[in-house]
Amino acid sequence: MKHLRQWLLATACAASLLAPAAPVLAQASDQFIAIPSYRVGPYGTNGQSYYGGYVDYLNYINIKEGGVNGVKLSWEECETEYNNAKGVECYERMKNKNQVTRGTAINPMATGISYALIDKTAEDKVPLVMIGYGRTDAVDGSVFPYAFPLVTTYQMQVSAIVKYLAGKNNGSLAGKKIVFLYHDSAYGKEPIVALQAESSIGKFKLVEIPVAHPGNEQGAQWLRIRQENPDYVIFWGWGVMNQTALKAAQKVGYPRDKIVGSWWAGSEEDTIPAGDAAKGYLSATWNVAGKDVPVIADIDKVVYGAGKGNMQDKNKLGSILYNRGVSAAIATVEAVRTAQDKYGKGKVMSGEQVRWGFENLNITDARLKALGATGLLPEIKTSCDNHEGSGKVRIQQWDGSKWVLVSDWIEGNKNLIHPLFKASAAKYAKEKGITPACMK
């Protein structure tokens, strides 16, 4: 009998070694953050830098401060490949990793995925954070209480770009022709309504030209642009589409300093591979590049000094997308901190409580300076009526080796744009049977 017991024990141990390991759930004492990311595929290079910065800042808060008022941050990534269906799968898989926080916030960095999740996250009471992307009408918190298109929406961004171009022409684009070259997806289509409205009041001709995913075939589009001979091209690209466009513009002889891209078409990943074809190209941005930003330098020292950095290529620290990932993490952590100020410092916050934090953000210039993050974000002040919180961009230009800011903060035309998204939100509320109301 003794030998039988020993044999059974040994067999059980061997079986346990062969069985697949159970997933490790986040500790109940942690503030868990689910990260549906993408680091492979046609947009993977961009995602590597962005999510590298995002994760590095979360790690930085844990190492430097011991978490948010002592509450450690934990997280898990799930690869979406920028695919809507996979994004939803990742969300469903991760949302219950921690029964208390249910994800704290979801930041898929993909407009299509955010569209697919906007109803689910509201039902599950998980904040959907769309920092610089997503549905513009989600600015209306009375209809979209759990959705936060923070910093600046696509419609306000394109309005600011139009204002910048008008400023180059004595304040008017009347009689000019502008091509809108865009990624044929929810991301690319989102600013069209605003651009059409700008065209109507600004009396310039708008030509819309879509580019199919992933955007590495643009020969026909640029031949048409050469035929149209527009005064400017406003460019809404992403991933491989961006360097392809710059090379194609050079090939047909279109000046790159007449092209203004969105902030997702304005990173080193877009310009360096394009070589000389990128010189002079302009794009919008909300964050600066460089490692001289105090918090970026401190992440290098604290996180990478401890051998815990997320980036395989450390040379990307300080790049536009890396710094933007840090900016997104800052907004998330500040929402948790704001929630704790109301519901209890040193406590794990629920999804409902973090939602309140996002809706009551007040990130001032003084706070940014205290965080060492001046230049990574504009001031952000949110409310139920305004889940965007800013609406400002800056314009930068590629000088052949680095991005150089060529404008101060520019705010889009609120009087034009806000009624557009208010009408869209009202239509959505009617379709879904939602009675608009601000949560407390």
Side-chain angles (χ1 to χ4, degrees):
M1 182 64 69
K2 177 180 178 182
H3 292 296
L4 177 61
R5 284 198 301 269
Q6 290 175 336
W7 180 83
L8 289 172
L9 179 62
T11 302
C13 290
S16 70
L17 291 173
L18 292 172
V24 179
L25 297 178
Q27 299 297 312
S29 58
D30 291 346
Q31 192 74 44
F32 176 71
I33 299 172
I35 306 176
S37 62
Y38 46 92
R39 298 185 186 241
V40 300
Y43 313 105
T45 302
N46 303 62
Q48 289 166 20
S49 297
Y50 179 89
Y51 284 107
Y54 192 89
V55 170
D56 277 347
Y57 186 77
L58 301 181
N59 219 347
Y60 172 75
I61 291 296
N62 280 346
I63 298 171
K64 183 86 171 180
E65 300 182 19
V68 182
N69 295 313
V71 178
K72 286 277 189 170
L73 302 169
S74 63
W75 57 88
E76 180 177 322
E77 286 190 62
C78 181
E79 178 62 49
T80 72
E81 298 180 25
Y82 198 78
N83 177 280
N84 295 351
K86 289 183 179 180
V88 174
E89 287 177 14
C90 283
Y91 169 74
E92 295 293 348
R93 188 184 313 161
M94 294 191 295
K95 71 180 182 182
N96 290 321
K97 288 287 183 177
N98 186 308
Q99 292 297 327
V100 177
T101 66
R102 291 180 66 81
T104 300
I106 296 291
N107 174 21
M109 221 255 283
T111 296
I113 295 175
S114 66
Y115 264 75
L117 291 179
I118 204 157
D119 290 336
K120 292 176 180 290
T121 50
E123 181 180 344
D124 294 334
K125 298 181 179 180
V126 176
L128 173 63
V129 184
M130 304 173 287
I131 300 180
Y133 65 90
R135 287 188 67 130
T136 297
D137 56 6
V139 172
D140 187 348
S142 70
V143 177
F144 299 93
Y146 278 88
F148 295 88
L150 288 174
V151 186
T152 307
T153 60
Y154 287 142
Q155 292 182 21
M156 284 293 282
Q157 177 188 192
V158 82
S159 179
I161 291 173
V162 169
K163 184 181 288 188
Y164 171 77
L165 293 177
K168 302 295 250 181
N169 291 273
N170 298 315
S172 175
L173 290 172
K176 302 292 186 183
K177 183 189 291 187
I178 295 178
V179 161
F180 180 56
L181 183 68
Y182 65 96
H183 192 281
D184 195 8
S185 65
Y187 154 61
K189 295 173 183 177
E190 183 71 20
I192 289 177
V193 64
L195 198 48
Q196 289 172 342
E198 288 281 8
S199 171
S200 178
I201 66 169
K203 303 187 185 309
F204 60 85
K205 183 179 180 180
L206 177 64
V207 180
E208 300 166 20
I209 303 178
V211 176
H213 157 85
N216 53 2
E217 294 291 338
Q218 297 180 44
Q221 287 88 347
W222 281 96
L223 284 175
R224 184 179 173 193
I225 289 172
R226 184 171 68 179
Q227 292 166 357
E228 293 282 355
N229 192 27
D231 296 280
Y232 299 101
V233 172
I234 295 178
F235 178 56
W236 234 250
W238 183 227
V240 69
M241 177 177 170
N242 299 337
Q243 56 181 279
T244 302
L246 294 173
K247 292 175 182 177
Q250 182 186 51
K251 187 175 181 179
V252 301
Y254 192 81
R256 265 69 73 210
D257 61 0
K258 299 291 185 180
I259 308 173
V260 185
S262 82
W263 46 57
W264 299 122
S267 70
E268 291 84 354
E269 283 81 357
D270 308 317
T271 51
I272 291 175
D276 290 341
K279 190 172 182 180
Y281 168 62
L282 298 146
S283 86
T285 187
W286 76 72
N287 66 281
V288 297
K291 291 175 65 175
D292 54 347
V293 179
V295 70
I296 302 299
D298 209 31
I299 287 172
D300 190 4
K301 177 183 176 182
V302 172
V303 179
Y304 286 81
K308 295 185 177 181
N310 188 262
M311 294 295 297
Q312 291 183 339
D313 183 0
K314 190 184 167 185
N315 290 325
K316 291 192 174 182
L317 268 70
S319 68
I320 284 287
L321 287 176
Y322 179 88
N323 288 8
R324 189 165 297 162
V326 171
S327 79
I330 287 172
T332 301
V333 170
E334 289 303 291
V336 173
R337 201 184 304 276
T338 300
Q340 284 193 14
D341 288 342
K342 178 176 174 66
Y343 297 104
K345 289 186 178 181
K347 295 182 179 180
V348 176
M349 295 290 102
S350 68
E352 295 98 318
Q353 291 168 333
V354 176
R355 186 214 71 81
W356 187 92
F358 275 112
E359 193 168 88
N360 291 274
L361 278 175
N362 187 17
I363 304 177
T364 63
D365 283 338
R367 180 58 182 159
L368 289 170
K369 184 176 181 180
L371 292 170
T374 299
L376 289 185
L377 288 164
E379 287 188 301
I380 298 175
K381 186 173 178 59
T382 55
S383 65
C384 174
D385 290 332
N386 189 346
H387 278 195
E388 181 181 43
S390 172
K392 297 178 180 179
V393 304
R394 299 183 77 174
I395 303 297
Q396 61 183 1
Q397 186 168 34
W398 184 251
D399 72 357
S401 62
K402 65 182 181 301
W403 288 105
V404 179
L405 291 170
V406 294
S407 84
D408 203 344
W409 290 108
I410 303 171
E411 185 176 58
N413 186 347
K414 277 187 176 180
N415 292 332
L416 176 68
I417 304 303
H418 281 217
L420 292 176
F421 76 67
K422 282 285 187 181
S424 178
K427 180 181 178 183
Y428 179 89
K430 185 177 180 180
E431 291 172 353
K432 298 289 184 176
I434 298 171
T435 300
C438 291
M439 296 182 68
K440 296 182 179 180

